[in-house]
Amino acid sequence: MTITRRLFMASVASSALLTRTARAAETAEVIYFGGPILTIDDANPRVEAVAVKGGRIIQAGSASDVMKLKAGDTTMVDLGGRAMLPGFFDPHGHMTFGGLQALSANVLAPPDGEVTDIASLLETVKAWAAANADMTAKAKIIVGFGYDQSQLAELRGPTKEELDTISTELPVFLVHQSGHMGAFNSKALEIVGYTASTPNPPGGVIQRKPGTNEPLGILEETAFFEAAPKLLGNVGPDGLLALAEAGAKMWASFGYTTAQEGRSNAVVDAVLRQAAADGRFPIDVYSYADVLLGADYVKGAISKSYDNGFRVAGAKLTIDGSPQGFTAWRDRPYYAPIGNFPPGYVGYPAVTNEQVLTAIDFAYANNLQILVHSNGEAAHDLLIAALRAAEAKHGRGDRRPVLIHGQFQREDQVQAFVDLGLMPSLFPMHTFYWGDWHRDHTVGPALADNISPTGWYRMRGSRFTSHTDAPVAFPDTMRVLDSTVTRRSRSGDIIGPAQRVDVMTALKAMTIWCAYQAFEEADKGSIEVGKRADFVILSADPTAVDPEALDQLLVTETIKDGKSIFVRGQKKADLMRPRDVLNPGFYEMFKQLYVMRQLAVLPESHQSPDTRVLIEASYDDCAATLLLPWLFGLDEHYQDVAAN
């Protein structure tokens, strides 16, 4: 036994020596140094330098150790006091349709827009429509994104008659900031076929004028989801390609190195695969396909590995709607809802009990991960019952089901979710955007303190992740970080001081815990030897600044696989200004459309990456106007090229 132990220890020592010798002989392609480096690795939380080769981290430690890997051709990156962290990992967002904002009038409230009442909303859309007259005429639609009745002085959305003042000839269509409802003018309602005799679809509501069946102009949930494609159908696959590429670049500008498409289908996934194959994504993109739109497709499409930076990771299920829009399904009446609601109104489910039970059982039976949008307490009760039934039938396993949003939770539900091994992806950014609204109207001051209950999960030793749900809000990582730590609302109120967490916990909820949620923790989420060299560089160390100033930090650079993919060249205020033709997402989308068009008319032998670079260099703002007919499927020349 003694000889065996000695031999074993000698073998270990020899192996360690060989490893050190091999590492010493290895040289780095890039070395980062000169600023605080937060690894998000509890075993080695801060290092002085990081060495990268082949897109992987080969050393992270003291400057003296890392500099031993420096060679004559090593690129040295001096952080200059800036902070480097692992790249942010998006635990829930809708990257493709983040590009929709670039096509739309910005009707967001401050600080992301300038709309404060119905009058300013109408004027904003009128001004945008006038400035984009060519596009609206060819597209035959006027689109706005981001209105929110909770931030309007009137505390309601615009009626069809009010939107008719913008246009009576073109459909006017405004998407609510939640993405779960929208406002339509008379022409838009006419096109989608909603009249006084149209019944509410299952899981949706056509809001009516008081005392009548005449549509008011506001459509909720499935009524909205069924109507919107009839108005936006002209965008087509090529438009989606451009939106996806612009979305990926927008996510990268906020420090994300992995983005999520949080509710896809076979058509959207095909576009994302094509975009990835064409090299359009600077970051990794993973999607979750709606299980109710095709369970067989979901089962066949899922992959644990990326193909050109894209994979289908699992299934998505939506049980209810939007808490700020009063469509989340609660176990008790809303506190003080504003609108035409009956006494005791509790919201409603978007699906049947049977659909939820079947979807969860399908995921467990096929050992698939499922993301579940569930906001209200009644929705959570149904989800818990479905998870318990599936676990009893198929066993626990390591499927890591995910609760998306989970805005209104009882503490017993939190415990049940922890017991079931569910991963909560919460929305603490809601405390900034809608904390005041929840306090005053949805759940009341007592329960508002516990929306997105990050503190309750940490008390139970559970991980959680923090998401933006973009384009519900911009994918602004510093806003996420600030809200998770401070929970300060627009008015300055603290929404749930007991639910606040420290900065390092909040950073884990944006990095390593997100990677764990997606089964990618071995490859991403922290700065450790062997992991991918995905980094974000911030203007300052988030653990060293005043927590109240976290939202003032800037993403100055994003690095994917050791290569810089975004460098900030403008102030954050410029990036967040109201949408116009100079908006980065708008500009980038049309730039890529321009490149696609020019490549399409060239012989296939000339459609090379070098040619693409030359075409991109030739682009300028004026080129965007040439793309509008093509974007909306009206360019006869392009149609001829495509046909041939």
Side-chain angles (χ1 to χ4, degrees), residues 280 592-604 606-613 615 638 641:
R280 298 179 182 279
Q592 295 308 320
L593 286 172
Y594 172 77
V595 173
M596 290 165 58
R597 175 174 179 159
Q598 299 306 313
L599 283 175
V601 298
L602 293 175
E604 186 173 347
H606 288 67
Q607 296 181 18
S608 67
D610 289 341
T611 304
R612 182 184 182 89
V613 171
I615 294 173
Y638 180 78
V641 171

Side-chain angles (χ1 to χ4, degrees), residues 92-97 178-180 203 221-222 224-226 260-269 272 286-293 297 314-321 350-351 371 373 404-405 469-470:
H92 182 65
H94 304 274
M95 188 206 75
T96 306
F97 295 102
S178 69
H180 282 256
E221 302 300 336
T222 54
F224 165 71
F225 294 135
E226 292 175 3
Q260 184 186 109
E261 179 49 60
R263 189 183 187 185
S264 69
N265 54 42
V267 173
V268 172
D269 284 344
L272 296 177
Y286 68 121
S287 79
Y288 289 84
D290 193 323
V291 67
L292 299 183
L293 297 180
Y297 164 73
K316 173 69 180 293
L317 174 68
T318 301
I319 296 181
D320 65 347
V351 289
L371 270 63
H373 169 121
I404 296 295
H405 307 323
D469 200 25

Side-chain angles (χ1 to χ4, degrees), residues 70-228:
K70 180 179 179 295
D73 59 351
T74 299
T75 299
M76 304 299 291
V77 178
D78 187 346
L79 298 173
R82 297 173 300 163
M84 190 168 85
L85 293 81
F88 294 124
F89 195 120
D90 178 15
H92 182 65
H94 304 274
M95 188 206 75
T96 306
F97 295 102
L100 178 62
Q101 291 178 323
L103 276 174
S104 310
N106 176 19
V107 290
L108 289 163
D112 301 331
E114 299 177 344
V115 171
T116 57
D117 54 22
I118 298 292
S120 60
L121 180 150
L122 297 175
E123 287 305 312
T124 296
V125 179
K126 288 176 184 177
W128 181 88
N132 296 276
D134 288 345
M135 182 167 72
T136 57
K138 293 181 175 73
K140 295 182 172 58
I141 191 171
I142 296 172
V143 183
F145 183 89
Y147 87 90
D148 177 11
Q149 76 277 7
S150 74
Q151 301 304 312
L152 299 177
E154 296 83 357
L155 297 179
R156 63 172 178 80
T159 66
K160 64 180 180 181
E161 288 83 5
E162 288 169 331
L163 296 183
D164 287 345
T165 66
I166 299 171
S167 178
T168 56
E169 297 179 355
L170 293 176
V172 178
F173 164 48
L174 305 184
V175 182
H176 189 272
Q177 190 173 2
S178 69
H180 282 256
M181 60 179 65
F184 295 64
N185 74 341
S186 298
K187 188 66 175 179
L189 290 172
E190 175 188 329
I191 291 173
V192 302
Y194 284 178
T195 68
S197 61
T198 305
N200 288 337
V205 169
I206 303 170
Q207 289 190 14
R208 318 281 178 167
K209 290 186 176 182
T212 75
N213 284 326
E214 183 180 351
L216 181 66
I218 306 291
L219 307 179
E220 302 176 4
E221 302 300 336
T222 54
F224 165 71
F225 294 135
E226 292 175 3

Side-chain angles (χ1 to χ4, degrees), residues 431-495:
T431 58
F432 172 76
Y433 284 107
W434 294 287
D436 300 320
W437 184 252
H438 290 322
R439 179 197 62 213
D440 299 338
H441 296 288
T442 62
V443 296
L447 296 185
D449 276 353
N450 299 321
I451 63 172
S452 287
T454 50
W456 282 351
Y457 279 99
R458 291 308 295 148
M459 284 170 53
R460 291 163 172 81
S462 172
R463 303 175 180 93
F464 69 89
T465 63
S466 297
H467 64 256
T468 68
D469 200 25
V472 168
F474 285 112
D476 186 346
T477 46
M478 296 303 96
R479 176 66 66 193
V480 175
L481 178 61
D482 176 87
S483 298
T484 308
V485 172
T486 70
R487 293 178 66 99
R488 189 174 295 282
S489 72
R490 294 187 204 238
S491 72
D493 193 9
I494 301 297
I495 307 297

